[in-house]
Amino acid sequence: MQITRIRTSSRPSGRELTPLLAGAATAVGALGAVLALTGSDSPLRAPLVLFFLLAAPATGIAVALRGLDPFARVLTALAGSVVLNMLVAQGMLATHRWSPRGGVLAMAVISALILLPVLLRRRRAAREGATVTVKPTKT
C-alpha cells in the first residue's frame, strides 16, 4: 500500500482570487459611475470614473474574446476600450452634446450591449445542456 500526501498551501491560488478581484473591480467601477452621474465633488471621482470608463467596455470585449490567450485578451480589450471611449467622445463633440454624465452613461450602455449577447449565448447553452437527457441502455 502506498501513502500519498496531499500538499496544501496556505496561500490562495489565482483561481480563488479571480472572483474576489472581479467583484472589487465591479464595485470600484460602479462607484465611479455613481459619483459621475450624481455630480459629486469627491476627490475620488476622477480616478474612479476613469477606471469605469476603461474597465466597463474592456470587460465586455474580454468576455466576448474568450478564444484568445489571457495576455492577448487583456491587451485587445484595453485597446478596444480606449477606441470606444474616443469614438463616444468624438461623436459627442461633433454633435455639440458633450457632457461628462452623458459620456459615462453612453459607455455604460455600450458596455452592456457588448456584454448582453455573450451572457445570453451562455445562458442558452447552459439551458440546452441541462435539457438534454440520456436514457440508460439495458445490456
Side-chain angles (χ1 to χ4, degrees):
M1 175 181 253
Q2 184 178 5
I3 298 175
T4 306
R5 293 185 181 206
I6 299 173
R7 295 182 182 185
T8 59
S9 175
S10 61
R11 291 185 342 185
S13 68
R15 294 265 185 211
E16 295 170 359
L17 288 178
T18 303
L20 178 67
L21 292 175
T26 303
V28 168
L31 182 61
V34 167
L35 287 175
L37 293 174
T38 59
S40 172
D41 289 334
S42 171
L44 293 176
R45 177 181 169 183
L48 294 181
V49 169
L50 287 175
F51 180 79
F52 172 78
L53 290 175
L54 281 177
T59 302
I61 294 170
V63 170
L65 297 175
R66 66 178 177 198
L68 295 177
D69 64 306
F71 180 72
R73 189 184 329 175
V74 168
L75 189 64
T76 305
L78 286 175
S81 175
V82 170
V83 168
L84 282 174
N85 277 296
M86 290 173 68
L87 286 172
V88 166
Q90 188 173 10
M92 290 177 75
L93 287 171
T95 59
H96 303 288
R97 300 284 185 207
W98 171 254
S99 75
R101 289 181 186 172
V104 168
L105 191 59
M107 289 313 300
V109 169
I110 290 171
S111 300
L113 290 176
I114 293 171
L115 193 57
L116 188 64
V118 176
L119 295 177
L120 290 175
R121 188 175 358 154
R122 283 186 183 177
R123 187 175 183 188
R124 183 179 34 173
R127 193 175 343 128
E128 288 175 1
T131 58
V132 175
T133 57
V134 178
K135 294 182 180 179
T137 57
K138 294 182 181 179
T139 55

